[in-house]
Amino acid sequence: MDLGLKDRVYVVTGATRGLGNATARELVDDGAKVVITGRDEGTVADAAAALGPDAVGVAVDNADPEAPARLIATARERFGRFDGILVSVGGPPAGFVADNSDEQWQAAFEAVFLGAVRLARAAAAELDEGGVIGFVLSGSVYEPIAGLTISNGLRPGLAGFAKSLSDELGPRGIRVVGVLPGRIDTDRVRELDSLSADPEATRTASESRIPLRRYGKPEEFGRTAAFLLSPAASYMTGVMVPVDGGARHGF
């Protein structure tokens, strides 16, 4: 299938590794151009170089109020257009209710929630018909995940924002989608497993609860996200799409 991605230009935040990077790779492989972000200048430059000439890196924090305008301007200046954005950010600190401080909540709110809202608002103001705004969220949108209290608090709210935004932007022909990763084999998930006394046993137990009986590969997530961002998904908006091997219990 031709996804219609050739020469389209996307901003992908948090794309130096993990799910953002996997999505950027799939977009570039299908002919798109990307502006990727991360906090560390050297890491961003290395990630962009690895993606090739159709990628440019910008060192920026999602929580920076100046980030949206800078990223969209970079897309236009470097590649001549701006077709969409995928807002991906590293997960907030793990912990139960009593473990997380006010400072951790505030920092996560700025990066995970408010930063995403700012990026989406800026993109909405700049996109034309056929544009798309995507959010990398989590299965916690539907089911709380033990030990990830901050994520459980923020991700569902962001999904609600995304749904509202899809209703508002639909008449302009702009789509809004969410992608909900389950246990994808990334550094973040391995880090969470390592918090247990026996990481290998934790992974085995987690895999036993997934109908496909394994963790997902980053490229499997990336392909789904790239499809949702592409013109091939032109009649999909306001949806939250799980990429979790069937782990979600509901329909």
mmCIF file of all heavy atoms in Angstrom, residues 149-196:
data_model
loop_
_atom_site.group_PDB
_atom_site.id
_atom_site.type_symbol
_atom_site.label_atom_id
_atom_site.label_comp_id
_atom_site.label_asym_id
_atom_site.label_seq_id
_atom_site.Cartn_x
_atom_site.Cartn_y
_atom_site.Cartn_z
ATOM 1 N N THR A 149 1.509 6.006 38.725
ATOM 2 C CA THR A 149 0.421 6.876 39.168
ATOM 3 C C THR A 149 0.362 8.181 38.397
ATOM 4 O O THR A 149 -0.718 8.642 38.019
ATOM 5 C CB THR A 149 0.572 7.168 40.669
ATOM 6 O OG1 THR A 149 0.547 5.930 41.385
ATOM 7 C CG2 THR A 149 -0.555 8.050 41.171
ATOM 8 N N ILE A 150 1.502 8.818 38.152
ATOM 9 C CA ILE A 150 1.484 10.098 37.442
ATOM 10 C C ILE A 150 0.981 9.904 36.018
ATOM 11 O O ILE A 150 0.141 10.682 35.526
ATOM 12 C CB ILE A 150 2.876 10.746 37.458
ATOM 13 C CG1 ILE A 150 3.281 11.116 38.893
ATOM 14 C CG2 ILE A 150 2.888 11.988 36.584
ATOM 15 C CD1 ILE A 150 4.657 11.744 39.013
ATOM 16 N N SER A 151 1.455 8.895 35.350
ATOM 17 C CA SER A 151 0.979 8.601 34.002
ATOM 18 C C SER A 151 -0.519 8.330 34.004
ATOM 19 O O SER A 151 -1.261 8.817 33.143
ATOM 20 C CB SER A 151 1.734 7.401 33.423
ATOM 21 O OG SER A 151 1.285 7.103 32.116
ATOM 22 N N ASN A 152 -0.980 7.567 34.996
ATOM 23 C CA ASN A 152 -2.410 7.263 35.099
ATOM 24 C C ASN A 152 -3.239 8.523 35.272
ATOM 25 O O ASN A 152 -4.400 8.586 34.840
ATOM 26 C CB ASN A 152 -2.671 6.332 36.278
ATOM 27 C CG ASN A 152 -2.068 4.952 36.104
ATOM 28 O OD1 ASN A 152 -1.782 4.526 34.984
ATOM 29 N ND2 ASN A 152 -1.843 4.250 37.197
ATOM 30 N N GLY A 153 -2.659 9.522 35.911
ATOM 31 C CA GLY A 153 -3.379 10.763 36.123
ATOM 32 C C GLY A 153 -3.399 11.670 34.902
ATOM 33 O O GLY A 153 -4.396 12.349 34.638
ATOM 34 N N LEU A 154 -2.311 11.687 34.132
ATOM 35 C CA LEU A 154 -2.180 12.658 33.055
ATOM 36 C C LEU A 154 -2.622 12.143 31.683
ATOM 37 O O LEU A 154 -3.208 12.887 30.897
ATOM 38 C CB LEU A 154 -0.726 13.127 32.956
ATOM 39 C CG LEU A 154 -0.163 13.859 34.179
ATOM 40 C CD1 LEU A 154 1.289 14.266 33.925
ATOM 41 C CD2 LEU A 154 -1.000 15.086 34.523
ATOM 42 N N ARG A 155 -2.341 10.885 31.373
ATOM 43 C CA ARG A 155 -2.620 10.393 30.013
ATOM 44 C C ARG A 155 -4.114 10.418 29.662
ATOM 45 O O ARG A 155 -4.478 10.832 28.552
ATOM 46 C CB ARG A 155 -2.084 8.977 29.837
ATOM 47 C CG ARG A 155 -0.596 8.793 30.106
ATOM 48 C CD ARG A 155 0.295 9.410 29.060
ATOM 49 N NE ARG A 155 1.671 8.922 29.186
ATOM 50 C CZ ARG A 155 2.712 9.398 28.524
ATOM 51 N NH1 ARG A 155 2.548 10.396 27.676
ATOM 52 N NH2 ARG A 155 3.917 8.902 28.703
ATOM 53 N N PRO A 156 -5.013 9.974 30.567
ATOM 54 C CA PRO A 156 -6.436 10.034 30.205
ATOM 55 C C PRO A 156 -6.917 11.456 29.938
ATOM 56 O O PRO A 156 -7.741 11.690 29.046
ATOM 57 C CB PRO A 156 -7.142 9.420 31.420
ATOM 58 C CG PRO A 156 -6.104 8.531 32.047
ATOM 59 C CD PRO A 156 -4.820 9.271 31.863
ATOM 60 N N GLY A 157 -6.407 12.425 30.709
ATOM 61 C CA GLY A 157 -6.784 13.807 30.471
ATOM 62 C C GLY A 157 -6.330 14.296 29.111
ATOM 63 O O GLY A 157 -7.047 15.033 28.419
ATOM 64 N N LEU A 158 -5.141 13.875 28.705
ATOM 65 C CA LEU A 158 -4.632 14.270 27.397
ATOM 66 C C LEU A 158 -5.448 13.613 26.282
ATOM 67 O O LEU A 158 -5.683 14.217 25.230
ATOM 68 C CB LEU A 158 -3.155 13.894 27.281
ATOM 69 C CG LEU A 158 -2.344 14.576 26.172
ATOM 70 C CD1 LEU A 158 -2.513 16.092 26.217
ATOM 71 C CD2 LEU A 158 -0.879 14.194 26.308
ATOM 72 N N ALA A 159 -5.902 12.391 26.515
ATOM 73 C CA ALA A 159 -6.773 11.737 25.541
ATOM 74 C C ALA A 159 -8.082 12.500 25.400
ATOM 75 O O ALA A 159 -8.619 12.654 24.294
ATOM 76 C CB ALA A 159 -7.040 10.290 25.952
ATOM 77 N N GLY A 160 -8.603 13.003 26.521
ATOM 78 C CA GLY A 160 -9.819 13.808 26.465
ATOM 79 C C GLY A 160 -9.601 15.094 25.685
ATOM 80 O O GLY A 160 -10.467 15.524 24.904
ATOM 81 N N PHE A 161 -8.449 15.716 25.894
ATOM 82 C CA PHE A 161 -8.105 16.911 25.122
ATOM 83 C C PHE A 161 -8.040 16.584 23.631
ATOM 84 O O PHE A 161 -8.556 17.327 22.794
ATOM 85 C CB PHE A 161 -6.767 17.475 25.598
ATOM 86 C CG PHE A 161 -6.188 18.525 24.689
ATOM 87 C CD1 PHE A 161 -6.686 19.817 24.694
ATOM 88 C CD2 PHE A 161 -5.156 18.208 23.809
ATOM 89 C CE1 PHE A 161 -6.168 20.780 23.830
ATOM 90 C CE2 PHE A 161 -4.626 19.167 22.957
ATOM 91 C CZ PHE A 161 -5.139 20.456 22.972
ATOM 92 N N ALA A 162 -7.399 15.459 23.296
ATOM 93 C CA ALA A 162 -7.271 15.062 21.894
ATOM 94 C C ALA A 162 -8.642 14.848 21.257
ATOM 95 O O ALA A 162 -8.880 15.244 20.110
ATOM 96 C CB ALA A 162 -6.424 13.801 21.778
ATOM 97 N N LYS A 163 -9.552 14.230 21.992
ATOM 98 C CA LYS A 163 -10.900 13.989 21.459
ATOM 99 C C LYS A 163 -11.622 15.312 21.227
ATOM 100 O O LYS A 163 -12.270 15.510 20.193
ATOM 101 C CB LYS A 163 -11.681 13.103 22.417
ATOM 102 C CG LYS A 163 -13.060 12.703 21.909
ATOM 103 C CD LYS A 163 -12.967 11.844 20.660
ATOM 104 C CE LYS A 163 -14.345 11.325 20.250
ATOM 105 N NZ LYS A 163 -14.293 10.557 18.997
ATOM 106 N N SER A 164 -11.518 16.229 22.175
ATOM 107 C CA SER A 164 -12.141 17.546 21.995
ATOM 108 C C SER A 164 -11.548 18.259 20.786
ATOM 109 O O SER A 164 -12.264 18.890 19.994
ATOM 110 C CB SER A 164 -11.949 18.395 23.258
ATOM 111 O OG SER A 164 -12.613 17.829 24.367
ATOM 112 N N LEU A 165 -10.234 18.170 20.645
ATOM 113 C CA LEU A 165 -9.558 18.829 19.541
ATOM 114 C C LEU A 165 -10.009 18.251 18.203
ATOM 115 O O LEU A 165 -10.178 18.986 17.221
ATOM 116 C CB LEU A 165 -8.042 18.686 19.703
ATOM 117 C CG LEU A 165 -7.156 19.517 18.779
ATOM 118 C CD1 LEU A 165 -7.375 21.009 19.016
ATOM 119 C CD2 LEU A 165 -5.687 19.153 18.990
ATOM 120 N N SER A 166 -10.222 16.936 18.163
ATOM 121 C CA SER A 166 -10.662 16.313 16.913
ATOM 122 C C SER A 166 -12.030 16.834 16.484
ATOM 123 O O SER A 166 -12.292 17.027 15.290
ATOM 124 C CB SER A 166 -10.691 14.786 17.044
ATOM 125 O OG SER A 166 -11.769 14.347 17.855
ATOM 126 N N ASP A 167 -12.901 17.076 17.460
ATOM 127 C CA ASP A 167 -14.221 17.624 17.140
ATOM 128 C C ASP A 167 -14.100 19.047 16.593
ATOM 129 O O ASP A 167 -14.809 19.429 15.663
ATOM 130 C CB ASP A 167 -15.109 17.638 18.391
ATOM 131 C CG ASP A 167 -15.486 16.239 18.852
ATOM 132 O OD1 ASP A 167 -15.404 15.298 18.040
ATOM 133 O OD2 ASP A 167 -15.871 16.093 20.024
ATOM 134 N N GLU A 168 -13.209 19.832 17.182
ATOM 135 C CA GLU A 168 -13.056 21.221 16.764
ATOM 136 C C GLU A 168 -12.382 21.356 15.393
ATOM 137 O O GLU A 168 -12.737 22.241 14.605
ATOM 138 C CB GLU A 168 -12.240 21.986 17.803
ATOM 139 C CG GLU A 168 -12.939 22.130 19.153
ATOM 140 C CD GLU A 168 -12.095 22.892 20.149
ATOM 141 O OE1 GLU A 168 -11.210 23.672 19.718
ATOM 142 O OE2 GLU A 168 -12.312 22.713 21.358
ATOM 143 N N LEU A 169 -11.412 20.481 15.129
ATOM 144 C CA LEU A 169 -10.637 20.613 13.892
ATOM 145 C C LEU A 169 -11.216 19.826 12.727
ATOM 146 O O LEU A 169 -10.841 20.062 11.576
ATOM 147 C CB LEU A 169 -9.195 20.163 14.135
ATOM 148 C CG LEU A 169 -8.401 20.969 15.164
ATOM 149 C CD1 LEU A 169 -6.965 20.455 15.243
ATOM 150 C CD2 LEU A 169 -8.406 22.455 14.830
ATOM 151 N N GLY A 170 -12.116 18.905 13.013
ATOM 152 C CA GLY A 170 -12.698 18.094 11.946
ATOM 153 C C GLY A 170 -13.279 18.902 10.797
ATOM 154 O O GLY A 170 -13.038 18.580 9.618
ATOM 155 N N PRO A 171 -14.050 19.963 11.072
ATOM 156 C CA PRO A 171 -14.610 20.743 9.963
ATOM 157 C C PRO A 171 -13.574 21.391 9.069
ATOM 158 O O PRO A 171 -13.872 21.744 7.923
ATOM 159 C CB PRO A 171 -15.445 21.816 10.699
ATOM 160 C CG PRO A 171 -15.826 21.176 11.989
ATOM 161 C CD PRO A 171 -14.621 20.367 12.371
ATOM 162 N N ARG A 172 -12.351 21.528 9.559
ATOM 163 C CA ARG A 172 -11.270 22.077 8.740
ATOM 164 C C ARG A 172 -10.503 20.984 7.991
ATOM 165 O O ARG A 172 -9.537 21.271 7.288
ATOM 166 C CB ARG A 172 -10.287 22.862 9.614
ATOM 167 C CG ARG A 172 -10.854 24.162 10.164
ATOM 168 C CD ARG A 172 -9.906 24.801 11.158
ATOM 169 N NE ARG A 172 -8.537 24.886 10.634
ATOM 170 C CZ ARG A 172 -7.456 25.105 11.405
ATOM 171 N NH1 ARG A 172 -7.596 25.237 12.720
ATOM 172 N NH2 ARG A 172 -6.264 25.177 10.860
ATOM 173 N N GLY A 173 -10.907 19.737 8.175
ATOM 174 C CA GLY A 173 -10.227 18.636 7.502
ATOM 175 C C GLY A 173 -8.926 18.236 8.157
ATOM 176 O O GLY A 173 -8.082 17.600 7.525
ATOM 177 N N ILE A 174 -8.753 18.585 9.437
ATOM 178 C CA ILE A 174 -7.545 18.226 10.184
ATOM 179 C C ILE A 174 -7.897 17.102 11.153
ATOM 180 O O ILE A 174 -8.881 17.184 11.888
ATOM 181 C CB ILE A 174 -6.997 19.441 10.957
ATOM 182 C CG1 ILE A 174 -6.599 20.545 9.986
ATOM 183 C CG2 ILE A 174 -5.797 19.036 11.818
ATOM 184 C CD1 ILE A 174 -6.268 21.864 10.650
ATOM 185 N N ARG A 175 -7.081 16.066 11.147
ATOM 186 C CA ARG A 175 -7.350 14.894 11.974
ATOM 187 C C ARG A 175 -6.535 14.924 13.273
ATOM 188 O O ARG A 175 -5.451 15.515 13.320
ATOM 189 C CB ARG A 175 -7.020 13.606 11.213
ATOM 190 C CG ARG A 175 -7.818 13.440 9.937
ATOM 191 C CD ARG A 175 -7.538 12.118 9.260
ATOM 192 N NE ARG A 175 -6.139 11.967 8.860
ATOM 193 C CZ ARG A 175 -5.275 11.111 9.405
ATOM 194 N NH1 ARG A 175 -5.646 10.314 10.404
ATOM 195 N NH2 ARG A 175 -4.032 11.042 8.961
ATOM 196 N N VAL A 176 -7.060 14.243 14.292
ATOM 197 C CA VAL A 176 -6.354 14.093 15.572
ATOM 198 C C VAL A 176 -6.474 12.639 16.001
ATOM 199 O O VAL A 176 -7.576 12.086 16.049
ATOM 200 C CB VAL A 176 -6.958 15.001 16.663
ATOM 201 C CG1 VAL A 176 -6.171 14.866 17.964
ATOM 202 C CG2 VAL A 176 -6.993 16.456 16.215
ATOM 203 N N VAL A 177 -5.326 12.018 16.292
ATOM 204 C CA VAL A 177 -5.326 10.596 16.650
ATOM 205 C C VAL A 177 -4.423 10.359 17.858
ATOM 206 O O VAL A 177 -3.509 11.136 18.135
ATOM 207 C CB VAL A 177 -4.842 9.713 15.476
ATOM 208 C CG1 VAL A 177 -5.811 9.800 14.309
ATOM 209 C CG2 VAL A 177 -3.440 10.113 15.035
ATOM 210 N N GLY A 178 -4.704 9.287 18.567
ATOM 211 C CA GLY A 178 -3.848 8.852 19.663
ATOM 212 C C GLY A 178 -3.371 7.439 19.418
ATOM 213 O O GLY A 178 -4.103 6.616 18.851
ATOM 214 N N VAL A 179 -2.140 7.157 19.819
ATOM 215 C CA VAL A 179 -1.582 5.805 19.694
ATOM 216 C C VAL A 179 -1.206 5.348 21.095
ATOM 217 O O VAL A 179 -0.483 6.053 21.819
ATOM 218 C CB VAL A 179 -0.346 5.776 18.773
ATOM 219 C CG1 VAL A 179 -0.092 4.358 18.288
ATOM 220 C CG2 VAL A 179 -0.505 6.714 17.592
ATOM 221 N N LEU A 180 -1.689 4.167 21.476
ATOM 222 C CA LEU A 180 -1.551 3.700 22.852
ATOM 223 C C LEU A 180 -0.646 2.479 22.913
ATOM 224 O O LEU A 180 -1.101 1.342 22.713
ATOM 225 C CB LEU A 180 -2.928 3.342 23.431
ATOM 226 C CG LEU A 180 -4.068 4.342 23.201
ATOM 227 C CD1 LEU A 180 -5.340 3.853 23.893
ATOM 228 C CD2 LEU A 180 -3.689 5.729 23.688
ATOM 229 N N PRO A 181 0.643 2.669 23.175
ATOM 230 C CA PRO A 181 1.539 1.509 23.258
ATOM 231 C C PRO A 181 1.300 0.695 24.519
ATOM 232 O O PRO A 181 1.015 1.242 25.588
ATOM 233 C CB PRO A 181 2.931 2.156 23.284
ATOM 234 C CG PRO A 181 2.701 3.504 23.896
ATOM 235 C CD PRO A 181 1.344 3.946 23.402
ATOM 236 N N GLY A 182 1.421 -0.612 24.358
ATOM 237 C CA GLY A 182 1.443 -1.490 25.517
ATOM 238 C C GLY A 182 2.889 -1.769 25.895
ATOM 239 O O GLY A 182 3.707 -0.857 25.972
ATOM 240 N N ARG A 183 3.225 -3.035 26.094
ATOM 241 C CA ARG A 183 4.592 -3.392 26.455
ATOM 242 C C ARG A 183 5.423 -3.530 25.184
ATOM 243 O O ARG A 183 5.520 -4.591 24.581
ATOM 244 C CB ARG A 183 4.617 -4.693 27.263
ATOM 245 C CG ARG A 183 3.761 -4.709 28.501
ATOM 246 C CD ARG A 183 4.192 -3.690 29.521
ATOM 247 N NE ARG A 183 5.382 -4.085 30.254
ATOM 248 C CZ ARG A 183 5.836 -3.429 31.331
ATOM 249 N NH1 ARG A 183 5.197 -2.361 31.777
ATOM 250 N NH2 ARG A 183 6.927 -3.836 31.942
ATOM 251 N N ILE A 184 5.999 -2.418 24.771
ATOM 252 C CA ILE A 184 6.890 -2.397 23.616
ATOM 253 C C ILE A 184 8.321 -2.462 24.146
ATOM 254 O O ILE A 184 8.659 -1.828 25.144
ATOM 255 C CB ILE A 184 6.690 -1.128 22.777
ATOM 256 C CG1 ILE A 184 5.202 -0.927 22.437
ATOM 257 C CG2 ILE A 184 7.514 -1.207 21.499
ATOM 258 C CD1 ILE A 184 4.594 -1.972 21.554
ATOM 259 N N ASP A 185 9.168 -3.229 23.486
ATOM 260 C CA ASP A 185 10.524 -3.492 23.977
ATOM 261 C C ASP A 185 11.444 -2.288 23.750
ATOM 262 O O ASP A 185 12.291 -2.278 22.859
ATOM 263 C CB ASP A 185 11.080 -4.739 23.287
ATOM 264 C CG ASP A 185 12.314 -5.287 23.999
ATOM 265 O OD1 ASP A 185 12.580 -4.853 25.140
ATOM 266 O OD2 ASP A 185 12.991 -6.150 23.419
ATOM 267 N N THR A 186 11.250 -1.262 24.567
ATOM 268 C CA THR A 186 12.055 -0.045 24.509
ATOM 269 C C THR A 186 12.865 0.101 25.799
ATOM 270 O O THR A 186 12.656 -0.633 26.766
ATOM 271 C CB THR A 186 11.163 1.192 24.364
ATOM 272 O OG1 THR A 186 10.300 1.271 25.514
ATOM 273 C CG2 THR A 186 10.311 1.110 23.104
ATOM 274 N N ASP A 187 13.761 1.073 25.796
ATOM 275 C CA ASP A 187 14.536 1.354 27.010
ATOM 276 C C ASP A 187 13.617 1.666 28.181
ATOM 277 O O ASP A 187 13.886 1.274 29.317
ATOM 278 C CB ASP A 187 15.483 2.537 26.775
ATOM 279 C CG ASP A 187 16.600 2.212 25.800
ATOM 280 O OD1 ASP A 187 16.844 1.013 25.556
ATOM 281 O OD2 ASP A 187 17.220 3.162 25.278
ATOM 282 N N ARG A 188 12.540 2.411 27.927
ATOM 283 C CA ARG A 188 11.607 2.793 28.987
ATOM 284 C C ARG A 188 10.974 1.564 29.636
ATOM 285 O O ARG A 188 10.919 1.452 30.862
ATOM 286 C CB ARG A 188 10.526 3.695 28.403
ATOM 287 C CG ARG A 188 9.278 3.897 29.250
ATOM 288 C CD ARG A 188 9.524 4.729 30.475
ATOM 289 N NE ARG A 188 8.261 5.058 31.143
ATOM 290 C CZ ARG A 188 8.164 5.655 32.327
ATOM 291 N NH1 ARG A 188 9.258 6.013 32.969
ATOM 292 N NH2 ARG A 188 7.003 5.924 32.860
ATOM 293 N N VAL A 189 10.507 0.626 28.831
ATOM 294 C CA VAL A 189 9.863 -0.567 29.377
ATOM 295 C C VAL A 189 10.873 -1.450 30.096
ATOM 296 O O VAL A 189 10.594 -2.002 31.166
ATOM 297 C CB VAL A 189 9.124 -1.339 28.269
ATOM 298 C CG1 VAL A 189 8.681 -2.719 28.753
ATOM 299 C CG2 VAL A 189 7.914 -0.537 27.801
ATOM 300 N N ARG A 190 12.075 -1.561 29.539
ATOM 301 C CA ARG A 190 13.104 -2.346 30.228
ATOM 302 C C ARG A 190 13.474 -1.699 31.566
ATOM 303 O O ARG A 190 13.741 -2.394 32.552
ATOM 304 C CB ARG A 190 14.333 -2.506 29.325
ATOM 305 C CG ARG A 190 14.105 -3.459 28.152
ATOM 306 C CD ARG A 190 15.402 -3.791 27.439
ATOM 307 N NE ARG A 190 15.926 -2.671 26.690
ATOM 308 C CZ ARG A 190 15.594 -2.381 25.427
ATOM 309 N NH1 ARG A 190 14.732 -3.146 24.780
ATOM 310 N NH2 ARG A 190 16.131 -1.345 24.823
ATOM 311 N N GLU A 191 13.469 -0.364 31.594
ATOM 312 C CA GLU A 191 13.738 0.345 32.847
ATOM 313 C C GLU A 191 12.660 0.046 33.887
ATOM 314 O O GLU A 191 12.953 -0.197 35.061
ATOM 315 C CB GLU A 191 13.794 1.854 32.585
ATOM 316 C CG GLU A 191 13.960 2.695 33.831
ATOM 317 C CD GLU A 191 13.791 4.175 33.559
ATOM 318 O OE1 GLU A 191 13.775 4.580 32.381
ATOM 319 O OE2 GLU A 191 13.651 4.934 34.528
ATOM 320 N N LEU A 192 11.406 0.035 33.457
ATOM 321 C CA LEU A 192 10.314 -0.267 34.383
ATOM 322 C C LEU A 192 10.418 -1.698 34.900
ATOM 323 O O LEU A 192 10.221 -1.955 36.089
ATOM 324 C CB LEU A 192 8.963 -0.050 33.690
ATOM 325 C CG LEU A 192 8.619 1.401 33.327
ATOM 326 C CD1 LEU A 192 7.331 1.454 32.519
ATOM 327 C CD2 LEU A 192 8.522 2.267 34.583
ATOM 328 N N ASP A 193 10.750 -2.626 34.011
ATOM 329 C CA ASP A 193 10.924 -4.016 34.450
ATOM 330 C C ASP A 193 12.070 -4.140 35.448
ATOM 331 O O ASP A 193 12.011 -4.943 36.389
ATOM 332 C CB ASP A 193 11.191 -4.926 33.243
ATOM 333 C CG ASP A 193 9.952 -5.199 32.417
ATOM 334 O OD1 ASP A 193 8.841 -4.870 32.878
ATOM 335 O OD2 ASP A 193 10.098 -5.731 31.298
ATOM 336 N N SER A 194 13.109 -3.335 35.248
ATOM 337 C CA SER A 194 14.293 -3.428 36.112
ATOM 338 C C SER A 194 14.027 -2.942 37.533
ATOM 339 O O SER A 194 14.844 -3.181 38.432
ATOM 340 C CB SER A 194 15.454 -2.633 35.505
ATOM 341 O OG SER A 194 15.243 -1.234 35.644
ATOM 342 N N LEU A 195 12.914 -2.263 37.756
ATOM 343 C CA LEU A 195 12.586 -1.783 39.098
ATOM 344 C C LEU A 195 12.159 -2.920 40.014
ATOM 345 O O LEU A 195 12.118 -2.761 41.232
ATOM 346 C CB LEU A 195 11.461 -0.729 39.027
ATOM 347 C CG LEU A 195 11.809 0.558 38.269
ATOM 348 C CD1 LEU A 195 10.583 1.465 38.195
ATOM 349 C CD2 LEU A 195 12.975 1.290 38.934
ATOM 350 N N SER A 196 11.838 -4.068 39.421
ATOM 351 C CA SER A 196 11.427 -5.218 40.225
ATOM 352 C C SER A 196 12.656 -5.982 40.717
ATOM 353 O O SER A 196 13.774 -5.789 40.233
ATOM 354 C CB SER A 196 10.541 -6.152 39.400
ATOM 355 O OG SER A 196 11.315 -6.797 38.398
#
